[in-house]
Amino acid sequence: EAGVTQFPSHSVIEKGQTVTLRCDPISGHDNLYWYRRVMGKEIKFLLHFVKESKQDESGMPNNRFLAERTGGTYSTLKVQPAELEDSGVYFCASSRTSGFTDTQYFGPGTRLTVL
Amino acid sequence: AQSVSQHNHHVILSEAASLELGCNYSYGGTVNLFWYVQYPGQHLQLLLKYFSGDPLVKGIKGFEAEFIKSKFSFNLRKPSVQWSDTAEYFCAVREGTALIFGKGTTLSVSS
């Protein structure tokens, strides 16, 4: 089965611009997660979807970040307007269920650079 | 909230050396623990996980980890590393449905 895919792999934008990242989970996985790793820091949880509903968005840094999951399939994460501190690698993960024994499968990440 | 500490930022070993990477989490109770690995140019993948039962967990590629509840630790081990083990290793604990990661340990293995 195909893994989690993310697009683009890299994005370089200027401060103040808008960027939209996309994640396609593994087929049949109702749960989708976004994480971010700022350089030199740990990977941090941003939010969790169950199908199209936001289950937990406690990790979203501020209202410049908007995540959507249309129809419970792919998800987008929009940053508007981007700031320098938003630079980092954005990971998406998916799991079939949100049960504690279920594995989260990660995508390759999108490296975002804000200049 | 949980936090995870990985003691070593960068570990350099020769092939066939033994490996132990430290991981501590911040508080107890029932914990679900994970080690993920990211090989160069690849995505994060699960090495092993612990939920309950035998505290010695076997994973892929010859890795194992031991859960020691009294020490809040979940150290990763491998008896003999290979050049192909060069990667970044992440320890994580589940909090709700989120994974809380440590900062990662880069392992460089020289042949």
Side-chain angles (χ1 to χ4, degrees):
Chain A
E1 84 189 338
V4 177
T5 57
Q6 293 186 245
F7 182 83
S9 56
H10 293 85
S11 180
V12 180
I13 61 172
E14 294 192 350
K15 177 182 170 180
Q17 290 185 321
T18 297
V19 64
T20 300
L21 313 181
R22 173 170 169 147
C23 169
D24 286 78
I26 293 171
S27 177
H29 282 196
D30 286 341
N31 293 263
L32 188 150
Y33 312 80
W34 284 98
Y35 291 84
R36 176 175 76 169
R37 189 184 192 194
V38 171
M39 192 164 62
K41 305 269 188 168
E42 61 275 13
I43 301 168
K44 283 200 167 180
F45 169 79
L46 296 179
L47 86 160
H48 169 211
F49 284 99
V50 179
K51 298 185 179 177
E52 67 275 7
S53 300
K54 290 175 188 173
Q55 189 75 13
D56 179 356
E57 51 185 329
S58 61
M60 294 288 265
N62 52 60
N63 59 10
R64 296 186 293 103
F65 289 75
L66 174 65
E68 294 179 320
R69 191 179 182 194
T70 308
T73 55
Y74 70 91
S75 174
T76 57
L77 180 65
K78 181 191 285 189
V79 185
Q80 180 183 28
E83 298 288 345
L84 298 179
E85 64 264 25
D86 300 332
S87 294
V89 180
Y90 290 76
F91 293 101
C92 177
S94 73
S95 64
R96 189 172 301 278
T97 75
S98 54
F100 71 94
T101 60
D102 215 352
T103 297
Q104 293 184 21
Y105 295 90
F106 281 77
T110 293
R111 181 174 296 277
L112 174 64
T113 302
V114 182
L115 303 175
Chain B
Q2 279 279 11
S3 64
V4 175
S5 296
Q6 291 185 240
H7 314 301
N8 311 101
H9 177 63
H10 193 182
V11 172
I12 302 172
L13 294 173
S14 300
E15 275 196 321
S18 63
L19 170 71
E20 182 161 3
L21 301 182
C23 171
N24 287 89
Y25 57 96
S26 56
Y27 64 83
T30 301
V31 286
N32 304 143
L33 295 157
F34 306 81
W35 276 97
Y36 278 84
V37 61
Q38 188 171 27
Y39 297 102
Q42 296 187 28
H43 57 273
L44 277 160
Q45 54 188 282
L46 183 70
L47 267 181
L48 46 81
K49 57 187 178 183
Y50 171 80
F51 295 108
S52 63
D54 189 345
L56 187 61
V57 181
K58 304 282 187 187
I60 60 171
K61 305 189 180 189
F63 286 91
E64 65 180 30
E66 185 176 13
F67 169 58
I68 304 179
K69 190 172 183 177
S70 61
K71 294 185 178 180
F72 299 89
S73 72
F74 190 55
N75 291 355
L76 181 72
R77 300 196 293 245
K78 186 171 184 179
S80 175
V81 296
Q82 301 172 310
W83 177 82
S84 57
D85 293 323
T86 294
E88 191 165 15
Y89 293 79
F90 297 90
C91 181
V93 62
R94 188 190 297 274
E95 183 167 68
T97 57
L99 295 178
I100 310 300
F101 285 89
K103 287 189 176 181
T105 298
T106 299
L107 172 65
S108 299
V109 180
S110 58
S111 55

